[in-house]
Amino acid sequence: MRYLQWWPTLIGAMVGAQGTEGHAMTVDSGTAAELRSAFAQDGYVVVRDFVPEPVLAEIRARAAEVVRSQPNAGGKFTNVTKGLEKSDHYFDDLLNSGSHVPVLEMLMGRKPEPTTASFFTKSEHSEQIHPHADALEGGVIWIALDEANRENGCLHFLKGSHLRQEEFSHLDAGTPTDLSDHPDAVEIRMSPGDIVFFRPNTVHWSGPNQSGTERRGFNCFYVGDPFRHLTEEQRIALNKKRQQASA
């Protein structure tokens, strides 16, 4: 399991309320190689204590306000609010210029293409997200806003599955599939401020929250325009389908 401790001089600051305050990053070649190796082989890497508490508090408060204004902006999953960057410039700054962006660029070997920022909440009765892989190239970050463990529905990954995409192409986030006993299954326990970087095509899932307390997370997707190959007619049809699904 690839867990790495970070250090403040490396990450600088996250985005402040008025914009980016990140510092230039300097990573020694050995550490960079270790990070890239973990990301390439496993499809994910966890970094501890990446985000300071004042930033976590602001993310929680601002995300809660967006949820109040658009309570069902996550499509079929009611505990997910997508498109935060469209409602609050703070999340647009985080998505485009947060201190995680240069780390993701180092891991991917190319500049990340911002797509969207999302807020995840898991209450006692919220649905679980079943094992799936997003058939997209790029990167994803997920920041723990609360303690995340098995009891309250933490993330799980199938280590190295991004290298065997055809084997898992049948998986769907809305269809139950039990991979808990798979030899490559990894439980990702996180504390507030920890961050996980992963490939969207690495199989991942999160179970139900059985703790009775809330489990929140902040997510940014970097896959550019996932529908860039669609014609204008196909885009219009897709938008209509989305509107019907969220009605």
Side-chain angles (χ1 to χ4, degrees), residues 164-184:
R164 312 193 307 275
Q165 294 183 51
E166 288 188 10
E167 182 179 344
F168 303 106
S169 60
H170 65 285
L171 297 175
D172 181 81
T175 303
T177 303
D178 187 3
L179 295 179
S180 58
D181 293 329
H182 194 287
D184 294 325

Side-chain angles (χ1 to χ4, degrees), residues 7 15-16 18 20 40 43 45 51 57 64 81-82 101 103 106 109 119 140 145 178 184 194 200 206 220 222 224:
W7 48 95
V15 173
Q18 301 304 317
T20 305
V45 65
V51 185
T81 302
K82 299 180 180 179
V101 175
V103 179
M106 178 188 69
F119 180 56
V140 185
L145 301 177
D178 187 3
D184 294 325
D194 293 348
S206 61
C220 290
Y222 296 89

Side-chain angles (χ1 to χ4, degrees), residues 145-160:
L145 301 177
D146 300 300
E147 290 289 338
N149 51 51
R150 182 183 301 180
E151 187 180 19
N152 67 11
C154 67
L155 274 170
H156 291 73
F157 290 105
L158 208 60
K159 185 167 61 175

Side-chain angles (χ1 to χ4, degrees), residues 32-33 35-40 45 100-113 137-140 197-200 222:
L35 283 165
R36 284 195 296 264
S37 176
F39 193 70
V45 65
H100 59 273
V101 175
V103 179
L104 184 59
E105 181 174 353
M106 178 188 69
L107 295 173
M108 292 171 53
R110 63 181 175 85
K111 189 174 181 60
E113 299 179 68
E137 294 296 327
V140 185
F197 299 83
F198 64 97
R199 291 283 188 184
Y222 296 89

Side-chain angles (χ1 to χ4, degrees), residues 54-164:
V55 176
L56 296 177
E58 185 141 22
I59 291 175
R60 295 184 194 110
R62 287 176 176 265
E65 183 58 36
V66 174
V67 171
R68 280 192 289 271
S69 66
Q70 47 181 41
N72 188 22
K76 63 181 178 180
F77 294 107
T78 60
N79 64 318
V80 182
T81 302
K82 299 180 180 179
L84 299 179
E85 73 285 353
K86 298 175 183 177
S87 300
D88 188 331
H89 70 86
Y90 180 83
F91 293 116
D92 186 61
D93 287 342
L94 266 181
L95 176 66
N96 287 278
S97 308
S99 292
H100 59 273
V101 175
V103 179
L104 184 59
E105 181 174 353
M106 178 188 69
L107 295 173
M108 292 171 53
R110 63 181 175 85
K111 189 174 181 60
E113 299 179 68
T115 305
T116 192
S118 305
F119 180 56
F120 289 74
T121 58
K122 269 185 185 278
S123 65
E124 185 176 1
H125 303 293
S126 66
E127 66 271 314
Q128 59 183 312
I129 298 179
H130 299 289
H132 69 287
D134 302 301
L136 301 166
E137 294 296 327
V140 185
I141 66 102
W142 198 95
I143 296 170
L145 301 177
D146 300 300
E147 290 289 338
N149 51 51
R150 182 183 301 180
E151 187 180 19
N152 67 11
C154 67
L155 274 170
H156 291 73
F157 290 105
L158 208 60
K159 185 167 61 175
S161 54
H162 64 302
L163 303 175
R164 312 193 307 275

